[in-house]
Amino acid sequence: MASMDKDWKARLSPERYQILRLKGTEPAFSGDLLDVHDDGIFRCAGCGAQLFDSEDKFESGSGWPSFTRAIDEGVIVTEIDTSHAMTRTEIMCASCGGHLGHVFDDGPAPTGMRYCVNSLSLIFDPSSASS
Ligand SMILES: [Zn+2]
């Protein structure tokens, strides 16, 4: 696993590495993708997997990009996170295990879920075929 870790360090910027591999959290309202409202797909910054659709993005006021659901079943895995004296549900990319953020059950209809994601965990892929 040590070599794997070195590989991620070489491939990711220090900022992205801190979030994706060390489960860091970017400061609220600091992310580049917070105010992105164009049509497109949000991909994992670690492996490029499609994770979220811009259609499911909403303004949560939390300071982090927020989505009501993942783009597809199985693209995101969850794990109970008890760090920082809280019990939260961590969300990770199912393909590479990269840390994305957390999911909460206080989101808007129809899902009632709020996927709270670090901008640094994502790469925005604008849709070329937007209608
Ligand atoms: Zn990934």
Side-chain angles (χ1 to χ4, degrees):
M1 291 304 282
S3 61
M4 186 78 173
D5 185 59
K6 212 173 164 185
D7 192 46
W8 282 118
K9 255 187 181 162
R11 284 170 53 190
L12 298 169
S13 70
E15 293 78 15
R16 289 193 191 277
Y17 181 82
Q18 179 67 30
I19 307 290
L20 285 163
R21 307 316 308 183
L22 303 182
K23 303 185 189 298
T25 301
E26 69 195 17
F29 300 102
S30 72
D32 289 342
L33 301 179
L34 185 59
D35 295 318
V36 168
H37 299 293
D38 299 330
D39 287 342
I41 301 295
F42 292 85
R43 294 175 179 274
C44 174
C47 70
Q50 298 190 10
L51 298 177
F52 298 100
D53 191 307
S54 58
E55 281 186 8
D56 300 315
K57 194 170 187 286
F58 72 101
E59 285 303 323
S60 67
S62 68
W64 291 278
S66 300
F67 303 86
T68 55
R69 60 183 166 190
I71 196 166
D72 218 339
E73 275 184 48
V75 298
I76 285 174
V77 290
T78 62
E79 195 163 284
I80 299 302
D81 169 14
T82 55
S83 66
H84 304 290
M86 290 179 275
T87 299
R88 296 176 295 171
T89 304
E90 180 190 356
I91 50 177
M92 288 165 289
C93 171
S95 300
C96 72
H99 174 78
L100 304 174
H102 293 86
V103 61
F104 303 91
D105 61 4
D106 59 3
T111 65
M113 304 303 283
R114 171 169 62 94
Y115 287 78
C116 185
V117 188
N118 291 286
S119 288
L120 286 168
S121 297
L122 300 172
I123 289 172
F124 181 60
D125 187 359
S127 171
S128 52
S130 67
S131 49

